[in-house]
Amino acid sequence: MTTPHKDKIFCALDTPDLDRALELADTLKGSVGGLKAGLEFYAAQGPAGVMRVSECGLPLFLDLKLHDIPNTVAAAVRALKPLNPALLTIHTAGGPAMMQAAAAAAKDWDNPPLLLGVTVMTSLDQEDLKKTGVYATPGDQVEKLTGLALECGLGGVVCSPFEIARLRKEFGPGLTLVVAGIRPEGAGKGDQKRVMTPKQASDLGADFLVIGRPITGAPDPAAAAREIAASLAQD
Ligand code: C5P
């Protein structure tokens, strides 16, 4: 049995393979709230592949992390209109004019996507940031870029579970938080170093949970997704 909590779950289709993505999309219909296609799938299968996945009817999170000059990013957002993703990512490091241009371009869609900012990649630590000339702590930088994203018309950010509490406290309930780095109790961490369970992340205030391998790597992906949804419903 599925619960409405399933709508919080976006399964990451981290594959270059169209048949595999379509198989997952078909299997997961009714057990998750949506699907996330990222750069790997887009680079391998292009807009046509994304369209095919969309045909399953689930909301699509297109995680392309756009980052270029404002004119180019706005043009890319306009070009993505036929794919009609529900969620689309933009790098906040592209600056205010780029984010504003993206937000303006998205407004022209019939069903505008929720534009999400990517702040500091969780693969970067303090030392890596310093090497790029950023001397703020990762947490301070995430907060600063999130504030800027909201000022520029974005609807939320993608963050790690460990940033939820701080961002909710600072920016309140109006900001959409899409959280990755989620592992159900007892699941392998894979290459994720710091993880929380779906229930912990949801209770802290995550709006959507991006979950890949714990679902896609399970013998029965739909059952794994339903189990995660059920865990969200528990007191
Ligand atoms: O398989 P797993 O659940 O680790 O997949 C997580 C998904 O979320 C991947 O698509 C990954 O690119 C994305 N992601 C992440 N950590 C972030 C941001 C995005 O794992 N900080």
Side-chain angles (χ1 to χ4, degrees):
M1 202 185 82
T2 57
T3 72
H5 291 87
K6 76 172 171 42
D7 292 343
K8 280 196 157 192
I9 303 170
F10 271 70
C11 179
L13 302 175
D14 291 322
T15 174
D17 188 84
L18 181 61
D19 289 339
R20 172 70 179 146
L22 293 177
E23 184 194 351
L24 279 168
D26 193 50
T27 306
L28 291 172
K29 236 181 324 184
S31 303
V32 296
L35 302 169
K36 181 177 91 93
L39 273 179
E40 180 183 12
F41 184 74
Y42 194 80
Q45 299 297 335
V50 173
M51 289 273 211
R52 292 284 308 279
V53 168
S54 288
E55 283 164 12
C56 79
L58 282 168
L60 179 75
F61 173 6
L62 194 53
D63 188 17
L64 296 185
K65 298 186 174 68
L66 302 177
H67 189 175
D68 208 311
I69 59 170
N71 188 57
T72 300
V73 168
V77 170
R78 282 194 294 276
L80 290 170
K81 182 176 172 181
L83 302 184
N84 200 31
L87 307 168
L88 176 66
T89 45
I90 310 283
H91 259 290
T92 55
M98 189 204 78
M99 288 190 274
Q100 284 160 357
K107 279 206 181 108
D108 282 345
W109 292 20
D110 303 327
N111 299 306
L114 179 68
L115 286 184
L116 296 168
V118 175
T119 57
V120 179
M121 304 296 296
T122 44
S123 50
L124 301 177
D125 64 16
Q126 181 94 61
E127 288 309 306
D128 295 320
L129 281 186
K130 273 192 201 155
K131 285 177 190 158
T132 68
V134 174
Y135 293 90
T137 64
D140 288 349
Q141 185 69 359
V142 167
E143 186 175 319
K144 184 183 181 128
L145 290 170
T146 300
L148 188 62
L150 297 178
E151 277 170 37
C152 294
L154 271 57
V157 293
V158 183
C159 69
S160 91
F162 296 89
E163 290 157 354
I164 301 170
R166 180 172 178 169
L167 295 179
R168 272 282 170 246
K169 186 160 177 266
E170 186 61 28
F171 300 105
L175 156 89
T176 297
L177 293 177
V178 177
V179 179
I182 303 288
R183 287 293 175 270
E185 208 84 57
K189 284 189 186 176
D191 55 1
Q192 300 280 13
K193 293 194 182 113
R194 299 173 72 221
V195 297
M196 278 192 199
T197 67
K199 173 75 173 156
Q200 286 169 326
S202 179
D203 287 350
L204 279 169
D207 295 291
F208 298 109
L209 306 170
V210 171
I211 305 176
R213 288 161 290 183
I215 295 176
T216 58
D220 181 345
R226 286 196 296 268
E227 205 169 305
I228 292 169
S231 78
L232 297 179
Q234 280 162 13
D235 287 330

